[in-house]
Amino acid sequence: SVHSVKAGARESSSGNGSAAGARGSSGANVWGEKRILVAEDNQLNQRLLSKQLEKLGLSVVVRDNGLEALTTAMMDPFDLILMDCHMPVMDGYTSTQRIRQSEDCVNRTTTIVALTADVQESNRIKCLEVGMNAVLTKPIRKAALEDALRQYL
């Protein structure tokens, strides 16, 4: 299914998320040991997304461009991929297309959420046409990110 969520090479893991909404009434992390691939070339955005995801108890792998993301996604299983659309070396559109088209890719059917500053409807349509499942608009708001996580994890 196709949805749009609107919002105005390091690996780390944090098993003790503390954000409200990330834990059930028992205090356990409701997402368990979920792994997120973040493909983002901007270092500030990398740090912000990683910090937000880790606070929720999620394991995060960051890649600087679409080619690195594709290479990682081919072999390492993830529960969700956050893909910047505009990156050097290979953009997120091409990386997503190759993930979807490769029969050997372990993430061929994994949900991919676009990260973009482009709010035009034509860009959202392009994201969906290449195989992304949803679109988050930069700057990524914490509430919008958590909504996407609840919907797709």
Side-chain angles (χ1 to χ4, degrees):
S1 69
V2 172
H3 300 281
S4 180
V5 179
K6 294 220 178 194
R10 290 137 291 308
E11 181 167 359
S12 57
S13 176
S14 172
N16 57 357
S18 59
R23 296 182 174 276
S25 58
S26 67
N29 179 342
V30 298
W31 285 309
E33 296 297 317
K34 301 290 186 179
R35 297 183 74 226
I36 311 297
L37 173 60
V38 175
E40 169 64 66
D41 62 311
N42 180 285
Q43 290 185 352
L44 178 59
N45 289 340
Q46 288 175 355
R47 286 194 300 271
L48 291 172
L49 281 168
S50 293
K51 187 173 183 178
Q52 288 176 331
L53 294 166
E54 289 167 358
K55 279 185 177 181
L56 297 172
L58 298 164
S59 177
V60 179
V61 176
V62 175
R63 295 295 179 255
D64 294 322
N65 63 62
L67 183 58
E68 290 178 6
L70 173 62
T71 302
T72 301
M74 290 298 290
M75 300 173 292
D76 299 332
F78 290 93
D79 298 290
L80 182 74
I81 298 171
L82 298 175
M83 182 77 71
D84 184 17
C85 292
H86 301 285
M87 295 180 284
V89 184
M90 179 185 289
D91 63 32
Y93 306 112
T94 303
S95 184
T96 296
Q97 281 181 314
R98 294 200 181 159
I99 289 169
R100 296 297 189 224
Q101 292 170 354
S102 174
E103 299 202 14
D104 297 330
C105 182
V106 297
N107 290 290
R108 187 173 186 200
T109 61
T110 299
T111 298
I112 300 176
V113 177
L115 305 176
T116 182
D118 188 342
V119 297
Q120 294 182 12
E121 181 66 10
S122 59
N123 184 65
R124 188 187 71 79
I125 291 168
K126 180 178 181 179
C127 290
L128 301 176
E129 285 176 347
V130 300
M132 296 175 179
N133 302 88
V135 179
L136 281 174
T137 305
K138 295 178 185 180
I140 307 299
R141 305 278 183 242
K142 181 180 175 187
L145 178 62
E146 290 181 7
D147 285 347
L149 294 173
R150 275 190 289 277
Q151 184 170 359
Y152 295 109
L153 289 181

